[in-house]
Amino acid sequence: MEDLVFIHGWVNKYIIEKDKDIEDFYKQLLLELRKYFNVHFVKLPGFSNIPEPTKPYTLDDYVEYVKKYLEEKGINNFYLMGHSFGGQVATKFAYYYPEKVKKLIIYNGACIRRKTAKQKILDIFKPLGKLIFKICPLAHKAFYKIFTGSTAYLKLSPIMKETMKNVISEDLASIFPLIKTEAILIWGAKDKITPLKDAYFIKKLIKNSTLLIYNEGGHNFHLTNPQFITENLAKLIYN
């Protein structure tokens, strides 16, 4: 079977709770993928039982970590698949090292980092917010709960907070036209985190690309229908 390297997404739960294995989040998808591929699941620094970096990582640092990991395993010519943030890492890996990647597979990739209207408004009030949070620390937690729906970010270590800021600040739109590797884009039509318009935008930029859309899928639709992903990949790669 062909080698497929899988890079997971950014899920705060698996940074905060070190006893939780992020591979479990993809269990059903990995079971299905292993019917068709020899799968190598890469756990990134800071997630689950992989130690956090000693300094805040950039996207390039994660790319180099993946490169070193694969070299140590002797894996050199493979299909490269990434989900969400993992799609961002996979894209930049394919940009730097196209000779190693047979095909780039981006599943709901967090590669286009536009600021939403809400984020732009928040930027305006950021200086005032810092003052309020200093006076009333509890307001910080309430703020994140209201505007992001989660307080998980506040539980991250200082290094992982800065790492997250580094990652989400990098938009890959400028490198997509330079991608030489054939790409397969897999997207959920109901994804609210990385909307479908991102997939159309990326497809337009990568000359040799195919877009697969699951009409009922959200950002993590591998949890409910991994077969859509695996069966379509198998058809495209083996037929």
Side-chain angles (χ1 to χ4, degrees):
M1 289 192 288
E2 298 279 1
D3 283 321
L4 183 144
V5 174
F6 189 96
I7 306 175
H8 61 76
W10 186 289
V11 188
N12 283 327
K13 173 183 177 180
Y14 297 98
I15 301 175
I16 298 164
E17 300 180 44
K18 298 299 184 184
D19 60 327
K20 297 272 191 295
D21 190 347
I22 195 166
E23 193 165 346
D24 290 341
F25 187 64
Y26 296 95
K27 183 177 180 180
Q28 291 304 315
L29 175 58
L30 295 175
L31 284 172
E32 293 295 325
L33 283 172
R34 286 181 174 125
K35 294 178 181 178
Y36 306 101
F37 303 96
N38 183 24
V39 179
H40 307 273
F41 186 89
V42 183
K43 293 182 196 175
L44 299 173
F47 294 84
S48 299
N49 62 348
I50 306 300
E52 292 184 0
T54 55
K55 65 176 181 63
Y57 260 24
T58 63
L59 188 59
D60 280 1
D61 288 325
Y62 277 118
V63 169
E64 291 309 307
Y65 176 87
V66 173
K67 178 176 178 283
K68 183 178 178 182
Y69 173 90
L70 296 176
E71 286 175 347
E72 290 175 351
K73 298 287 185 181
I75 305 164
N76 191 50
N77 195 235
F78 48 84
Y79 292 90
L80 181 59
M81 181 175 184
H83 171 233
S84 193
F85 157 64
Q88 190 182 21
V89 177
T91 296
K92 206 155 193 194
F93 187 104
Y95 169 63
Y96 285 142
Y97 308 110
E99 73 281 358
K100 294 179 179 291
V101 182
K102 289 185 176 179
K103 285 186 183 180
L104 170 64
I105 305 161
I106 305 173
Y107 162 39
N108 287 343
C111 304
I112 307 302
R113 299 289 188 172
R114 304 185 189 91
K115 281 195 174 183
T116 64
K118 183 188 287 186
Q119 288 170 327
K120 290 177 182 177
I121 292 171
L122 293 178
D123 283 346
I124 296 171
F125 290 99
K126 191 176 288 184
L128 177 61
K130 287 181 179 178
L131 177 62
I132 294 172
F133 299 153
K134 189 174 182 180
I135 297 170
C136 181
L138 290 177
H140 205 183
K141 187 174 182 180
F143 172 87
Y144 270 88
K145 186 67 177 177
I146 292 169
F147 285 95
T148 70
S150 172
T151 59
Y153 171 79
L154 300 177
K155 297 176 184 178
L156 300 181
S157 70
I159 282 178
M160 292 309 289
K161 282 180 180 176
E162 290 303 311
T163 295
M164 185 175 180
K165 289 178 184 177
N166 289 340
V167 167
I168 65 176
S169 68
E170 187 163 353
D171 183 281
L172 300 185
S174 63
I175 74 169
F176 278 116
L178 306 175
I179 295 289
K180 299 176 182 178
T181 308
E182 183 179 347
I184 300 172
L185 314 177
I186 303 173
W187 236 268
K190 296 182 179 180
D191 189 344
K192 295 181 180 179
I193 296 174
T194 54
L196 186 58
K197 67 179 181 180
D198 288 358
Y200 286 119
F201 182 64
I202 294 169
K203 187 180 187 308
K204 185 178 179 180
L205 295 177
I206 301 180
K207 292 180 180 179
N208 194 4
S209 60
T210 301
L211 174 59
L212 301 171
I213 301 171
Y214 179 46
N215 291 328
E216 300 304 314
H219 191 62
N220 301 315
F221 73 81
H222 65 274
L223 297 173
T224 55
N225 192 355
Q227 292 83 3
F228 176 89
I229 298 171
T230 57
E231 290 173 5
N232 279 289
L233 275 183
K235 288 176 184 177
L236 287 173
I237 290 173
Y238 290 113
N239 287 351

